Amino acid sequence: MKAAIIVFPGTNRERDMALALHRATGRRPLMLWHAEAALPRGLDLAVLAGGFSYGDYLRCGAMAAHSPIMRAVREFAARGGHVLGVCNGFQILCEAGMLPGALLRNASLRFLSMDCHMRVERSDTAFTRRFPPGAVFRATMAHGDGNYFADTATLDRLEGEGLVALRYVTPAGEATPEANRNGAARNIAGIYSENLRVMGLMPHPENQVDPEIDGTDGLPLFQSLADSLVAA
Amino acid sequence: MKARVTVMPKAGVLDPEGKAIGRALAGLGFQGVDEVRAGKVFELDLAETDPAKARAVAEEMARKLLANTVIESFRVEVG
């Protein structure tokens, strides 16, 4: 699998993401600076990592969404390429119109830096096939603007078409208000594009990929991509 | 020509910032504030001299970048 991580000024989670991808695939991903106008040939996966691109000016992800490389990422996705956006990367995908909805300020107004649990809503996509059906896994969230919002019609469509990827749940797998720390609509932590090849999520699965550093809860997501895209 | 773009959270979109400001105003002793909505104002100095064209271009800027129309509405004033 050939993966590239897009690096914007203010991106700060690209090294953790690179470690996770390396661990799952055995290959180091490329790092691409935002001013590049094209993605490398033969790319399987483009990743938008976490951070505070452009200092969160205007709105989180708004400036990055209009940077030169995002045109190439949009074209890559339109050709059926796989794209993963984590945290600020999810915000960028929404601002770029590649995923529906928007990430509002956390309902509590507080920056949340803590672990959460997420339920895998379907385990038949390129991002989740290594998870058992209904799996619950732990990840770290670290965001001020992770409160997923979309209008009712869009939320109904996401649910109806199986495009909700992950929900905030209790460790036992229940989607309660208490488990939904940022106030996201319908406990939504992550969503897919219509073709299931673009995924955005707020928490950081790349934090948990090493048994000696906080466990490997997040590793199946990257292994899923490695399995799915190895032959692609 | 000057243009002013006011961007506000849409009706029905949670505005926790506005809510917090409202609570702070109550804490300062200001009575009778039913609701606070917090938004942004952009002042643009445009080379365009035709008011209709200036408005049109400012509206396009708002749609494409200044506002996220999923969650925000905007208003343009020129002159």
Side-chain angles (χ1 to χ4, degrees):
Chain A
M1 180 177 86
K2 189 169 176 182
I5 301 172
I6 316 300
V7 183
F8 300 97
T11 298
N12 61 15
R13 300 306 309 278
E14 73 277 15
R15 287 166 189 266
D16 305 82
M17 187 61 77
L19 190 75
L21 289 165
H22 187 199
R23 204 167 266 269
T25 67
R27 286 182 71 173
R28 287 180 198 284
L30 303 162
M31 296 283 187
L32 290 182
W33 187 235
H34 67 106
E36 302 275 345
L39 298 176
R41 293 170 71 89
L43 192 71
D44 298 308
L45 174 71
V47 181
L48 305 173
F52 301 86
S53 57
Y54 299 87
D56 283 347
Y57 284 3
L58 189 59
R59 297 176 302 274
C60 300
M63 309 306 287
H66 298 283
S67 64
I69 200 151
M70 280 308 293
R71 184 173 308 201
V73 172
R74 199 181 280 109
E75 288 167 3
F76 173 71
R79 291 195 303 270
H82 286 77
V83 180
L84 172 66
V86 171
C87 199
N88 190 221
F90 185 15
Q91 296 164 339
I92 294 168
L93 289 173
C94 288
E95 280 284 345
M98 292 174 64
L99 289 174
L103 283 312
L104 299 177
R105 182 67 46 88
N106 294 342
S108 65
L109 280 179
R110 291 176 191 276
F111 189 96
L112 294 170
S113 175
M114 59 179 62
D115 282 359
C116 65
H117 287 81
M118 290 183 285
R119 187 175 68 213
V120 178
E121 296 294 286
R122 58 188 292 178
S123 53
D124 62 347
T125 75
F127 300 86
T128 57
R129 57 171 60 177
R130 280 281 197 111
F131 288 102
V136 173
F137 72 106
R138 183 175 58 88
T140 305
M141 55 175 156
H143 59 248
D145 299 72
N147 177 354
Y148 183 72
F149 173 88
D151 60 41
T152 304
T154 302
L155 293 171
D156 288 345
R157 183 178 66 79
L158 287 171
E159 294 193 318
E161 296 178 5
L163 302 179
V164 176
L166 301 161
R167 281 186 220 267
Y168 298 109
V169 293
T170 64
E174 290 172 52
T176 63
E178 294 72 30
N180 189 23
R181 298 300 294 267
N182 58 26
R186 303 187 191 178
N187 284 51
I188 291 173
I191 57 171
Y192 295 112
S193 62
E194 283 180 29
N195 69 359
L196 300 173
R197 292 182 176 211
V198 179
M199 182 202 208
L201 72 160
M202 285 311 298
H204 292 274
E206 75 275 17
N207 272 35
Q208 283 82 23
V209 296
D210 185 333
E212 295 188 2
I213 304 175
D214 207 20
T216 56
D217 277 59
L219 196 54
L221 191 149
F222 301 99
Q223 291 168 329
S224 298
L225 285 166
D227 286 357
S228 306
L229 303 182
V230 69
Chain B
M1 172 147 271
K2 305 256 190 215
R4 176 187 289 240
V5 181
T6 304
V7 176
M8 295 298 294
K10 275 186 183 171
V13 173
L14 180 74
D15 177 17
E17 197 172 349
K19 276 201 167 54
I21 293 166
R23 282 197 296 272
L25 288 172
L28 285 170
F30 291 102
Q31 306 293 315
V33 181
D34 290 335
E35 193 185 12
V36 179
R37 306 284 282 171
K40 296 190 189 89
V41 174
F42 301 88
E43 292 183 335
L44 307 170
D45 205 345
L46 304 174
E48 182 60 59
T49 53
D50 178 80
K53 286 180 183 165
R55 172 179 294 279
V57 74
E59 284 177 352
E60 192 180 355
M61 290 174 185
R63 268 192 300 276
K64 286 191 172 170
L65 181 64
L66 302 179
N68 178 343
T69 55
V70 174
I71 50 174
E72 294 168 326
S73 60
F74 64 85
R75 186 174 75 237
V76 173
E77 299 156 84
V78 293

